[in-house]
Structures are given as structure tokens and as C-alpha cells.
């Protein structure tokens, strides 16, 4: 069987901004409140009276051409064969170059450790055949995670619905795609 | 207590503190000072020997202090050695570490030879190796930022060129300022380097003009212009960098050369060196912070 090509699709159309994914991520990985690995960006769109709220997941895009990996001087940020952008805090000196380089601002310094932790797509869980925490706790099925090499997977179906990268002009080949909000 | 969740715009991207500006500045000063020492020696002019020797003694120290500043800014300052044992050649920072690890021993050995064996056959090759390293260090301090191509302020190749020229100019100012306190140097050597500095300042002004022209036409250039030359750091940029850091030393330099250096006022010249150093630091400070300010918004 071919190697899995993990991808995530965010169906912004379905998101209600409940932040259950954010809370679950922080609870499971015991992350300080101030520096979550995942945020839901809330933006008011349109002009009154025709206004609506737009919710966007902001987190690591696990880019195939990841700027944080390219600038890291020690190899603490690296790309695995399955496509995860991983982070080894033992190798990190806290130079913060990755924070500057990530155009999605997905890296942030965790003050207690002095290192910029990041979303791991819950690699240990995925390795044992489970889904990332944020995916399992979403009540709206906004997040779809899976193997894009399998044409019958949910994520392949979702990509076929017209999922696009967020800020594709950055040119980093992100592995998280978005189905944009349409009214 | 209200339960609020930080939205993405609140990501703390402003993470490189003033220490990094100090590091970029001092790295450039050392590189520039070494160029002054080596070029003065390589000209073979007797009048430049004293200046070359003083420059060689002055060159190694700023970059060492700068590395200290870099370590202070690290999230794990006591693990700084990790960067010395792990290398990734696709990382500009890693290449910079290698450059500095070559530059510093070369600069130290060069100063030692000037002191102990000025007639050593090693002097000439060391001078050339050091010049190459110095140019590398000067460029590196700019590429460290310009390699982040998605940043509206940093993502331009003009930046390394500007930092390289500014590094040389601040190096000249540092050497001429230091030589005033460390020993008498030949007035002709001082006049020569003042003339060179005049040219460097002129080139810097042109490069800054090109930078601004680039931002006028770049897709996200409006943001860069606002942060550098507008409401962001505009006051520091126009008054600190352009007026005090470049135009004022330029004017003093021209006045001094016209009136003849031997008769020129020493305090006026010293003020011009200090202003060049001040402007050079401010240039790094403003570019660094303006770039980080554009990171915050999406």
C-alpha cells in the first residue's frame, strides 16, 4: 500500500466558533492558556445590516515547503516522511527564527519552556490509528482529517468539493485546506 | 472574569527584542572594522600602517559582544551550544554561525600577528580571508531578515546590500572614533577613510531610496512604507536614520574635507563618527521592528 498522505480540510461553512477544538487541544496537551497551538479567528464580515461572522481555524498548516523548517538552524523543526511538520524541543535553542518565518503565524514562544511549540496533528494518536483531538471533539464536523492518497477517504471527498489553501500566495504548499464560507 | 479566547491577530509575533538589533549592528561593525584594517594593510601605504594596526585591534570585539546579545535573546540561553553542534545548511542562521566561527578566529589571529609579528607571511592571506568573511558577515546580517520573503519589510534583496554598505560605514566610524582615543594615526589615512565613508554614506542613501521605490510598487509595500517611514517608525526613520545618521555625517564630512582635515575640528569629526554609529544601530532597530510589526496582521 502506498504511504499515507495526511491532509486536513476545514469546512468553514459549518464552524460555529464554539472553540471546543481549542479547549480540547489545550486540555489534552496541557498547554498554557496564553499560547494555544490552535485558535479560531473570528471576523465580522459585510456591512450592516448584511453582516455575518466568519470563523477560521488558525494553526500549523503542515506545509510541504515549510518556512519554519527551512530557517531552523538546528533541525529542531523538521518534516516527517508522512508529512507532519514536527518539532523536537530538545534540539531547539529558542532563536525564534521559525516564529518570524511562518507566514501563518502558527509558531509562538511558550514562555515557560522558551521554545516555540506547535500543532503536532496529534502525531502519537494518528500513529496509533486515531484522529487528532480537535477533530474528534468538533461537534459540527468542521475538521476532516485523513489520507488523501485514499480516493474513498472523507478528506479526499472534501478536497474534491473545492477546498483551497488559506493565503495560497504564500506558496508553502500547506496540507490544511479550507472550504471557504459562502453565504 | 470573562472567558475570552485570543484571536489570531493577537499572536505574539514581536519576539525579536532589541538584542537582535544590537547583534546585527555589532556584527556589521566588526566586519567593517576588519575591512578597514585589511584594506589599509593591503594598500601597502606607510601612512596607513598605524590605522591598520588600530583597526585590527578593534575589529574582533563588537561581534563577540553581539553574540552575547544574541544569546540573551534566546528562549533557552543556556542551551546556546546546541546551535554549535547542529547545522542545517538551508538555514541562513546556521550559515551565519559558520561564518562567525571562521571570522572571529581570523580577526583575533590577525590582531595578534599585528601585535607580535607584523612582518609574518600570514598577514596577507589572513587579510584576504578576513575580507571575504567580513563581506559574508555583512551580507548575512541582512539575509537573515531578507530570507523571510513573505515579510513585506524584509523580503527584498536591497536589504543585505544596504546592511553590507552600512556595516562598512559603521566599521570605518568605529575605527576612526577608536583611533582618536587609542593613538595617533596619520592624517592622510584618516582623510582617505573619511572620503571612503563619504562614498559609503552616499551609496546608503541611494539604497534606501531604492528600498522605498521598491515598496511603492510591491504588492504589500504600502504596509512596509507605513511601518518604516510612516506612522510606525517614521519619526525614528526620518529624523534618526536619514537626518542624524546619514545627512548630518555627510555634511560634516564634506565640510571637513573642504576645510582640510589637519585644521578641522576634532570634536566635529568625532560627532560625525558617533552619528554614523547611532544611525547604523537605528537602521537595524527600525527595520527589525517594522518587519515584526507587519507580522501581526494578516
Amino acid at each position: 500500500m502506498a504511504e499515507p498522505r495526511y491532509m486536513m480540510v476545514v469546512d468553514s461553512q459549518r464552524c460555529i466558533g464554539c472553540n471546543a477544538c481549542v479547549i480540547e487541544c489545550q486540555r489534552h496537551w496541557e498547554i498554557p492558556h496564553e499560547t494555544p497551538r490552535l485558535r479560531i479567528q473570528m471576523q465580522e464580515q459585510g456591512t450592516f445590516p448584511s453582516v455575518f461572522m466568519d470563523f477560521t481555524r488558525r494553526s500549523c498548516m503542515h506545509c510541504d515547503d515549510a518556512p519554519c523548517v527551512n530557517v531552523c538552524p538546528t533541525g529542531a523543526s523538521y518534516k516527517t516522511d508522512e508529512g507532519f511538520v514536527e518539532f523536537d524541543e530538545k534540539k531547539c535553542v529558542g532563536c525564534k527564527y521559525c516564529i518570524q518565518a511562518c507566514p501563518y503565524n502558527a509558531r509562538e514562544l511558550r514562555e515557560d519552556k522558551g521554545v516555540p511549540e506547535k500543532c503536532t496533528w496529534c502525531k502519537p494518536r494518528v500513529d496509533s490509528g486515531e484522529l487528532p483531538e480537535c477533530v474528534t471533539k468538533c461537534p459540527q464536523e468542521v475538521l476532516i482529517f485523513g489520507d488523501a492518497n485514499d480516493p474513498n477517504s472523507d478528506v479526499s471527498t472534501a478536497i474534491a468539493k473545492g477546498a483551497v489553501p488559506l493565503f495560497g500566495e504564500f506558496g508553502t504548499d500547506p496540507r490544511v485546506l479550507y472550504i471557504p464560507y459562502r453565504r | 472574569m470573562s472567558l475570552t479566547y485570543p484571536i489570531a491577530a493577537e499572536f505574539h509575533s514581536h519576539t525579536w527584542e532589541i538584542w537582535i538589533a544590537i547583534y546585527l549592528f555589532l556584527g556589521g561593525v566588526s566586519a567593517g572594522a576588519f575591512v578597514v584594517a585589511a584594506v589599509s594593510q593591503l594598500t601597502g601605504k606607510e601612512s596607513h600602517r598605524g590605522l591598520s594596526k588600530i583597526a585590527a585591534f578593534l575589529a574582533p570585539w563588537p561581534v563577540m559582544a553581539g553574540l552575547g546579545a544574541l544569546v540573551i535573546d534566546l528562549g533557552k540561553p543556556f542551551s546556546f551550544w546546541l546551535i554549535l553542534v547542529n547545522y542545517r545548511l538551508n538555514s541562513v542562521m546556521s550559515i551565519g554561525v559558520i561564518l562567525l566561527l571562521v571570522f572571529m578566529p581570523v580577526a583575533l589571529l590577525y590582531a595578534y600577528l599585528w601585535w607580535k609579528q607584523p612582518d609574518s607571511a600570514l598577514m596577507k592571506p589572513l587579510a584576504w580571508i578576513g575580507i571575504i568573511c567580513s563581506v559574508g558577515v555583512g551580507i548575512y546580517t541582512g539575509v537573515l531578515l531578507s530570507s523571510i520573503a513573505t515579510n513585506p519589510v524584509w523580503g527584498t534583496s536591497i536589504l543585505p546590500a544596504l546592511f553590507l554598505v552600512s556595516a562598512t560605514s559603521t566599521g570605518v566610524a568605529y575605527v576612526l572614533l577608536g583611533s582618536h582615543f587609542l593613538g595617533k594615526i596619520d592624517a592622510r589615512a584618516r582623510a582617505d577613510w573619511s572620503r571612503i565613508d563619504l562614498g559609503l554614506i552616499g551609496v546608503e542613501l541611494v539604497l534606501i531610496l531604492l528600498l522605498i521605490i521598491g515598496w511603492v510598487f510591491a504588492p504589500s509595500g504600502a504596509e512596509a512604507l507605513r511601518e518604516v517611514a510612516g506612522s510606525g517608525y517614521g519619526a525614528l526613520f526620518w529624523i534618526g536614520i536619514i537626518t542624524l545618521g546619514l545627512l548630518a555625517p555627510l555634511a560634516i564630512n564634506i565640510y571637513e574635507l573642504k576645510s582640510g582635515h589637519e585644521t578641522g575640528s576634532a570634536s566635529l569629526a568625532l560627532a560625525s563618527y558617533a552619528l554614523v554609529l547611532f544611525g547604523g544601530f537605528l537602521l537595524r532597530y527600525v527595520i527589525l521592528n517594522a518587519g515584526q510589526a507587519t507580522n501581526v496582521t494578516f
Side-chain angles (χ1 to χ4, degrees):
Chain A
M1 225 178 92
E3 208 164 80
R5 179 179 162 75
Y6 291 118
M7 290 192 75
M8 179 182 272
V9 169
V10 182
D11 190 349
S12 304
Q13 193 80 24
R14 300 182 60 90
C15 184
I16 55 171
C18 73
N19 277 292
C21 51
V22 179
I23 297 166
E24 177 56 18
C25 175
Q26 288 178 316
R27 187 197 66 78
H28 185 83
W29 295 105
E30 295 175 4
I31 300 161
H33 173 80
E34 297 75 25
T35 50
R37 296 176 183 175
L38 159 64
R39 293 166 199 245
I40 299 299
Q41 184 180 21
M42 305 184 191
Q43 279 174 322
E44 230 178 79
Q45 304 275 5
T47 35
F48 183 82
S50 168
V51 289
F52 61 97
M53 269 296 213
D54 189 14
F55 303 107
T56 313
R57 175 193 160 104
R58 305 301 304 245
S59 190
C60 176
M61 300 286 178
H62 294 271
C63 307
D64 278 346
D65 187 10
C68 64
V69 173
N70 293 337
V71 302
C72 181
T74 63
S77 294
Y78 61 100
K79 184 93 180 159
T80 70
D81 293 338
E82 303 105 321
F84 294 87
V85 173
E86 279 284 296
F87 173 65
D88 177 2
E89 69 173 69
K90 285 198 281 304
K91 272 191 173 179
C92 178
V93 292
C95 76
K96 301 176 269 189
Y97 206 5
C98 54
I99 302 177
Q100 305 291 353
C102 176
Y104 293 101
N105 287 1
R107 310 289 302 257
E108 194 170 8
L109 198 75
R110 184 167 160 173
E111 299 288 344
D112 57 342
K113 291 185 172 178
V115 297
E117 284 190 339
K118 62 183 292 302
C119 159
T120 61
W121 263 355
C122 295
K123 188 169 186 299
R125 285 175 60 90
V126 174
D127 284 346
S128 61
E130 292 174 282
L131 288 168
E133 286 287 345
C134 54
V135 177
T136 59
K137 292 301 186 290
C138 177
Q140 282 292 101
E141 295 173 3
V142 171
L143 305 172
I144 305 140
F145 181 86
D147 178 8
N149 276 346
D150 174 3
N152 299 318
S153 66
D154 292 347
V155 80
S156 294
T157 318
I159 293 169
K161 270 204 277 182
V164 292
L166 191 67
F167 300 115
E169 67 269 24
F170 291 154
T172 60
D173 297 331
R175 284 210 184 187
V176 177
L177 302 179
Y178 291 75
I179 296 173
Y181 186 89
R182 288 185 206 89
R183 297 191 62 210
Chain B
M1 194 187 124
S2 65
L3 190 63
T4 54
Y5 281 86
I7 59 164
E10 291 168 7
F11 266 63
H12 306 133
S13 282
H14 202 96
T15 50
W16 274 348
E17 303 293 336
I18 194 169
W19 303 109
I20 296 298
I22 294 173
Y23 162 65
L24 297 177
F25 168 68
L26 292 179
V29 170
S30 266
F34 189 92
V35 167
V36 175
V39 170
S40 293
Q41 180 218 328
L42 290 171
T43 57
K45 281 186 190 165
E46 194 55 35
S47 59
H48 283 237
R49 272 181 74 88
L51 180 70
S52 174
K53 191 172 178 179
I54 285 176
F57 286 140
L58 288 171
W61 315 114
V63 68
M64 292 185 182
L67 281 173
L70 174 69
V71 169
I72 291 173
D73 196 69
L74 291 180
K76 284 159 66 182
F78 299 109
S79 304
F80 75 91
W81 52 272
L82 284 165
I83 209 167
L84 301 173
V85 293
N86 296 298
Y87 290 96
R88 288 289 178 282
L89 290 182
N90 52 0
S91 167
V92 174
M93 191 179 282
S94 211
I95 294 170
V97 169
I98 296 169
L99 271 172
L100 292 175
L101 286 182
V102 179
F103 173 77
M104 287 192 297
V106 168
L108 281 171
L109 183 60
Y110 185 75
Y112 174 80
L113 285 180
W114 245 129
W115 180 39
K116 286 283 182 189
Q117 310 162 26
D119 299 320
S120 162
L122 271 175
M123 289 289 285
K124 217 171 168 180
L126 265 185
W128 279 112
I129 294 168
I131 287 175
I132 293 166
C133 290
S134 299
V135 172
V137 169
I139 292 175
Y140 151 70
T141 58
V143 176
L144 187 74
L145 303 181
S146 75
S147 65
I148 301 174
T150 46
N151 186 296
V153 174
W154 299 341
T156 159
S157 300
I158 308 275
L159 204 59
L162 175 61
F163 277 22
L164 175 64
V165 177
S166 165
T168 316
S169 174
T170 53
V172 173
Y174 167 61
V175 169
L176 294 181
L177 189 64
S179 70
H180 180 80
F181 300 102
L182 290 177
K184 207 167 158 48
I185 56 165
D186 198 295
R188 278 167 297 172
R190 190 160 85 94
D192 282 351
W193 280 105
S194 292
R195 257 188 216 103
I196 290 170
D197 203 22
L198 197 64
L200 292 171
I201 292 172
V203 174
E204 265 185 82
L205 283 166
V206 172
L207 287 173
I208 288 176
L209 181 68
L210 290 179
L211 207 55
I212 290 174
I213 292 173
W215 287 331
V216 169
F217 294 108
S220 50
E223 210 181 342
L225 275 177
R226 188 192 65 227
E227 287 303 333
V228 175
S231 57
Y233 291 86
L236 281 180
F237 178 77
W238 292 112
I239 299 170
I241 298 171
I242 300 291
T243 310
L244 293 174
L246 293 167
L247 292 178
L250 192 77
I252 295 175
N253 237 326
I254 291 172
Y255 167 77
E256 285 248 301
L257 285 172
K258 288 231 168 193
S259 64
H261 264 277
E262 288 81 357
T263 55
S265 140
S267 54
L268 200 58
L270 292 183
S272 126
Y273 309 145
L275 283 172
V276 166
L277 289 169
F278 167 78
F281 168 71
L282 220 51
L283 176 68
R284 272 80 174 170
Y285 180 80
V286 167
I287 295 288
L288 183 79
N289 284 318
Q292 295 193 87
T294 61
N295 264 347
V296 177
T297 51
F298 289 101

